Amino acid sequence: GENVEQHPSTLSVQEGDSAVIKCTYSDSASNYFPWYKQELGKGPQLIIDIRSNVGEKKDQRIAVTLNKTAKHFSLHITETQPEDSAVYFCAAKGSGGSNYKLTFGKGTLLTVNP
Amino acid sequence: DTAVSQTPKYLVTQMGNDKSIKCEQNLGHDTMYWYKQDSKKFLKIMFSYNNKELIINETVPNRFSPKSPDKAHLNLHINSLELGDSAVYFCASSQVGRYNEQFFGPGTRLTVL
């Protein structure tokens, strides 16, 4: 089955700096890669996603890149703000019999210091 | 508001009891999920129903039994609760297609004493 590795597990940055979180996946047939933000006491919220036919996607201060050859994808947050502090999860969706299933990374606790 | 909702938000109970968590989505999706998030924040799929049919059933003790009365509802019943069942349980829903974006509920924090 799919295996998703996420790094780093914790990340601390100063307000205004950039933050990068990286994930690798094992199933070359995976075709969808969402990123979720989970604030304390809340459910994961989908913030951006990328599909396998696209190499990069941007939405305001957040961007995601995908390298299918290397089987890795990354989340980039620019001009970080204290409200960006949360746990971020990457995930990958398989294909065929695993079409329904998202496999999640173990999460990155991002702390943005004012 | 269109959303995935869960009840209750908090559940504190004694070992050995039986409890249920309810989930409803009004997004018009055809697939619903239960996830367990442990103390280390790891999100693990437990079950998934598509159009009321069980399609994902991960290695979960048979004390856990999901039930989907219709496409908009997926409940989770847990028998003989154990200390290790303490966790946050999340419901999610999606419209199955090529990409399957999943939307999560607010979670139910279960504490077994």
Side-chain angles (χ1 to χ4, degrees), chain B residues 21-39:
Chain B
I21 307 171
K22 296 186 175 182
C23 179
E24 177 181 2
Q25 57 94 5
N26 61 6
L27 297 164
H29 291 164
D30 62 2
T31 305
M32 297 183 72
Y33 310 79
W34 278 111
Y35 286 84
K36 179 180 180 181
Q37 186 173 49
D38 61 23
S39 57

Side-chain angles (χ1 to χ4, degrees), chain A:
Chain A
E2 176 67 276
N3 184 47
V4 176
E5 299 283 340
Q6 182 172 348
H7 298 281
S9 56
T10 61
L11 180 59
S12 182
V13 300
Q14 289 299 122
E15 183 176 359
D17 288 350
S18 295
V20 180
I21 302 170
K22 298 183 179 183
C23 290
T24 60
Y25 61 99
S26 60
D27 183 358
S28 56
S30 290
N31 65 356
Y32 173 66
F33 307 91
W35 286 88
Y36 288 83
K37 175 184 181 183
Q38 186 178 20
E39 296 175 337
L40 196 62
K42 296 186 178 180
Q45 179 188 7
L46 179 65
I47 57 171
I48 195 168
D49 55 22
I50 192 165
R51 301 174 181 184
S52 58
N53 57 349
V54 175
E56 184 173 357
K57 183 177 178 180
K58 191 172 181 180
D59 182 5
Q60 299 182 14
R61 294 186 299 107
I62 59 173
V64 59
T65 58
L66 171 64
N67 182 327
K68 285 191 297 180
T69 303
K71 290 189 283 187
H72 67 70
F73 56 114
S74 301
L75 177 71
H76 304 251
I77 307 174
T78 59
E79 300 172 25
T80 54
Q81 300 167 4
E83 51 265 39
D84 294 329
S85 297
V87 178
Y88 290 81
F89 292 95
C90 64
K93 185 188 79 68
S95 58
S98 299
N99 188 47
Y100 298 97
K101 189 175 172 182
L102 284 180
T103 301
F104 284 83
K106 292 190 174 181
T108 296
L109 174 61
L110 173 65
T111 304
V112 179
N113 301 299

Side-chain angles (χ1 to χ4, degrees), chain B residues 26-55:
Chain B
N26 61 6
L27 297 164
H29 291 164
D30 62 2
T31 305
M32 297 183 72
Y33 310 79
W34 278 111
Y35 286 84
K36 179 180 180 181
Q37 186 173 49
D38 61 23
S39 57
K40 295 184 179 179
K41 296 290 189 180
F42 186 48
L43 271 167
K44 185 171 171 55
I45 183 78
M46 299 173 68
F47 302 104
S48 177
Y49 273 75
N50 172 254
N51 286 317
K52 302 198 299 175
E53 180 184 347
L54 182 66
I55 54 170

Side-chain angles (χ1 to χ4, degrees), chain B residues 34 47-49 54 56-57 64-68 74-77:
Chain B
W34 278 111
F47 302 104
S48 177
Y49 273 75
L54 182 66
I56 295 176
N57 185 359
F64 290 78
S65 53
K67 190 167 186 179
S68 181
L74 179 62
N75 303 323
L76 183 65
H77 188 75

Side-chain angles (χ1 to χ4, degrees), chain B residues 73-89:
Chain B
H73 296 85
L74 179 62
N75 303 323
L76 183 65
H77 188 75
I78 316 170
N79 288 326
S80 304
L81 278 155
E82 300 178 357
L83 293 176
D85 297 332
S86 295
V88 182
Y89 292 85

